[in-house]
Amino acid sequence: MTRIIASLAEISAPYDVLYCDLWGCLHNGKALFPQAVSALQAFRKKGGAVVLLTNAPRTKHAVKRRLDQMGLPEDAYDAIAASGDATQVAMLQGAAGRKLWHLGPGKDEDLFTLIPEWLKDQPPIERVSLEEAEGIICTGPFDEFNETPEDYRGRFLSAKVRGLKMLCANPDLVVDFGDTRIYCAGALAELYAEMGGEVLQFGKPYPPVYDTARSALAEKGISVDNDAVLAIGDGFRTDIKGAQAEGIDALFITGGLEAARFGADVEAPEAALLDSWLAENGLSPRYSMGRLR
């Protein structure tokens, strides 16, 4: 059974590092959650380190720009590790070929332009039409507010027949942008895989993004054992299953993507409903709470 807590401070003492998700935990795509920001600041003030571990299909530089625009104070975190960073490494190393069809919105442009120094000697990636492509890099629908995965079935059939490999830069299926739920790259990748296409995933719950997080800590001179890390997230397929696979304790934020499941009060999940749902899904987060605070 998970322990329902009222604040991060209740259980933070044994942990040296937080891996904190963004969407649904720290913000809703439009605005920050002030109590969540304060919780991270308090954790750092006591000597802990915070990695913002996100399935954003962009580099950490683009993620930081957006967080700066939203007004996130820099004393709330130490480093950013993004699914886009892990995907970019595989892309530049030729995991799906050198001629790629980019399926995704223009805001993900930095994957192709902000190249880490240690990868600048790799042969260039050429973005081409689907008809010319050797592989696919998927960062989401072209129009994430109006399209669904089914809009791509025809193109995916053509790609699958040709044996094109897809690099998925965000395993999330959906995300809540304010009050609007939109599809992510993971939903497109799921359809492609169901159709028989080959997909490589790089964000939570898959290992590459956790390697990225550990590298980000190492750059800060921080080395930590898994038993001193707490992962915080609202995605049971990504944050919670990823933490379990890595052997890391997890704090499940019930008031995010799954808020409607656990009673009328988003801030206070009902224990019976929560325990039943977690058992049905084979999940065992050590802690749960309505909103991060």
Side-chain angles (χ1 to χ4, degrees):
M1 293 176 63
T2 189
R3 174 183 166 188
I4 298 176
I5 62 173
S7 72
L8 178 64
E10 285 181 38
I11 51 89
S12 64
Y15 301 104
D16 297 327
V17 171
L18 300 180
Y19 288 167
C20 186
D21 185 37
L22 293 182
W23 289 69
C25 294
L26 194 57
H27 65 69
N28 65 358
K30 293 184 175 181
L32 296 168
F33 301 145
Q35 288 184 315
V37 175
S38 296
L40 297 187
Q41 289 172 316
F43 182 82
R44 293 190 72 245
K45 283 180 181 177
K46 80 174 188 67
V50 174
V51 178
L52 302 180
L53 184 60
T54 173
N55 273 358
R58 292 169 285 285
T59 69
K60 60 186 178 183
H61 309 289
V63 173
K64 185 180 187 307
R65 284 198 303 272
R66 178 58 183 145
L67 293 173
D68 288 345
Q69 292 168 358
M70 297 175 78
L72 180 66
E74 293 198 359
D75 66 352
Y77 64 97
D78 295 87
I80 298 170
S83 176
D85 294 315
T87 309
Q88 185 187 53
V89 172
M91 176 188 73
L92 293 172
Q93 292 178 338
R98 295 286 164 190
K99 294 184 177 182
L100 300 181
W101 179 50
H102 175 210
L103 170 52
K107 64 184 179 181
D108 303 327
E109 181 75 14
D110 67 294
L111 281 178
F112 306 96
T113 58
L114 295 177
I115 308 301
E117 284 295 329
W118 68 279
L119 286 169
K120 285 186 175 179
D121 62 346
Q122 294 292 315
I125 296 296
E126 183 181 356
R127 282 179 285 173
V128 299
S129 67
L130 176 58
E131 291 72 24
E132 301 172 276
E134 300 171 345
I136 302 168
I137 180 164
C138 179
T139 62
F142 289 123
D143 182 352
E144 57 195 356
F145 290 100
N146 295 295
E147 292 182 326
T148 73
E150 282 299 320
D151 292 317
Y152 293 90
R153 184 175 288 275
R155 281 168 283 189
F156 284 175
L157 178 59
S158 170
K160 187 264 292 190
V161 168
R162 292 169 52 208
L164 301 190
K165 189 182 298 182
M166 176 186 287
L167 308 182
C168 176
N170 177 3
D172 288 351
L173 301 180
V174 295
V175 71
D176 290 329
F177 185 79
D179 295 327
T180 303
R181 183 156 290 190
I182 59 177
Y183 285 103
C184 299
L188 301 176
E190 183 177 68
L191 175 60
Y192 192 56
E194 288 174 358
M195 294 175 64
E198 183 180 357
V199 176
L200 299 180
Q201 303 263 22
F202 297 92
K204 297 171 289 183
Y206 301 96
V209 77
Y210 294 97
D211 293 338
T212 301
R214 286 185 283 268
S215 295
L217 286 170
E219 289 177 4
K220 301 287 184 179
I222 300 170
S223 177
V224 64
D225 295 328
N226 276 357
D227 58 4
V229 178
L230 178 67
I232 303 172
D234 69 321
F236 78 91
R237 293 183 181 88
T238 53
D239 302 297
I240 307 307
K241 287 189 175 180
Q244 288 181 186
E246 292 288 319
I248 295 170
D249 284 350
L251 167 56
F252 177 42
I253 303 302
T254 63
L257 287 170
E258 309 301 331
R261 299 183 184 276
F262 309 120
D265 187 352
V266 173
E267 297 285 348
E270 295 182 23
L273 292 174
L274 177 57
D275 287 335
S276 174
W277 182 81
L278 290 173
E280 288 174 7
N281 286 279
L283 302 172
S284 55
R286 186 164 185 179
Y287 310 105
S288 295
M289 68 189 307
R291 301 280 194 193
L292 178 59
R293 55 186 181 271

